[in-house]
Amino acid sequence: LLRRMAIQVAHRTGEILVTLETGRGETKALAGLARDLMRRHPGVVGVVRRTRADPGRSAQASILVGRDHLFEEVDGDRLMVPAGAFFQPNVFALARLRREAVDLLDPRADEAILELYCGVGFLTLAAARGAGSVLAVEGSREAVAAARHNAARAGIGNARFLCREISAALPGLLRETDWGALLLDPPRSGLPRG
């Protein structure tokens, strides 16, 4: 039943989120395990189950106990990070990485920025503070929902978030407006061809 376990740790807040990847089957034992994890480890804020029925199909997620996200803090921003969403693991370098990226981007109040692979809005928030507007695109629904939440919580009103696969969305987006800058944080696999 249990195939894999992922542990996400927010170093600044101390929150821990556990995701159990399973096949289909009885949940009673998993529910007991989830309750036991929270009881024994006070930092655990939630245990999520992701069920994979067939290879190649997306997993169905359900909360076993607690919540399905944690919060991490970077340079004054409190970021919601959902179970399974990518977030840079080296939190000690995150603030500097973001400052360097945004300094190099040098956003201006008169320009529109197109951001691809925005994730939970880690770079979006900082870029939007200097730009006229930011359109941030991400393929994960959970990450986009968290990015919207993070932007609202930070008082960012000039960022729009679009949940689309980058390769499908990019041709139309490039024709949409005269982008002043392009901000990319692609996955390890890199950018798609074409």
Side-chain angles (χ1 to χ4, degrees):
L1 181 64
L2 181 60
R3 295 180 179 175
R4 193 175 305 149
M5 180 171 71
I7 301 171
Q8 293 171 270
V9 179
H11 292 281
R12 298 277 185 233
T13 64
E15 293 185 345
I16 301 168
L17 183 62
V18 177
T19 302
L20 305 175
E21 187 177 307
T22 72
R24 289 193 284 188
E26 177 58 47
T27 61
K28 192 174 183 179
L30 291 174
L33 173 62
R35 286 190 301 274
D36 197 38
L37 281 169
M38 285 194 76
R39 187 175 62 250
R40 290 181 182 214
H41 304 283
V44 175
V45 296
V47 181
V48 175
R49 177 183 185 186
R50 293 182 75 80
T51 306
R52 287 209 187 273
D54 300 314
R57 293 188 61 204
S58 60
Q60 295 178 339
S62 60
I63 299 171
L64 292 171
V65 66
R67 53 181 147 98
D68 64 352
H69 60 275
L70 53 73
F71 290 97
E72 181 60 280
E73 294 175 358
V74 179
D75 258 358
D77 284 323
R78 186 172 172 89
L79 301 168
M80 174 193 283
V81 181
F86 177 77
F87 195 75
Q88 294 290 340
N90 186 346
V91 296
F92 303 106
L94 281 180
R96 182 172 180 186
L97 171 72
R98 182 163 80 165
R99 283 191 299 266
E100 293 286 333
V102 173
D103 284 350
L104 289 169
L105 181 67
D106 191 24
R108 297 186 320 266
D110 64 341
E111 74 180 349
I113 294 173
L114 176 61
E115 180 184 7
L116 305 179
Y117 305 98
C118 73
V120 300
F122 168 68
L123 292 172
T124 314
L125 303 184
R129 288 185 176 108
S133 66
V134 176
L135 175 58
V137 187
E138 169 63 45
S140 163
R141 279 192 194 125
E142 293 87 0
V144 169
R148 287 180 177 135
H149 169 89
N150 294 334
R153 189 175 196 291
I156 303 293
N158 62 337
R160 256 186 334 133
F161 297 90
L162 179 63
C163 183
R164 296 271 312 274
E165 287 303 318
I166 303 301
S167 57
L170 191 55
L173 292 172
L174 291 175
R175 290 187 298 270
E176 183 176 303
T177 192
D178 185 19
W179 300 104
L182 179 63
L183 179 58
L184 292 168
D185 187 10
R188 286 188 187 113
S189 58
L191 298 172
R193 291 185 178 269

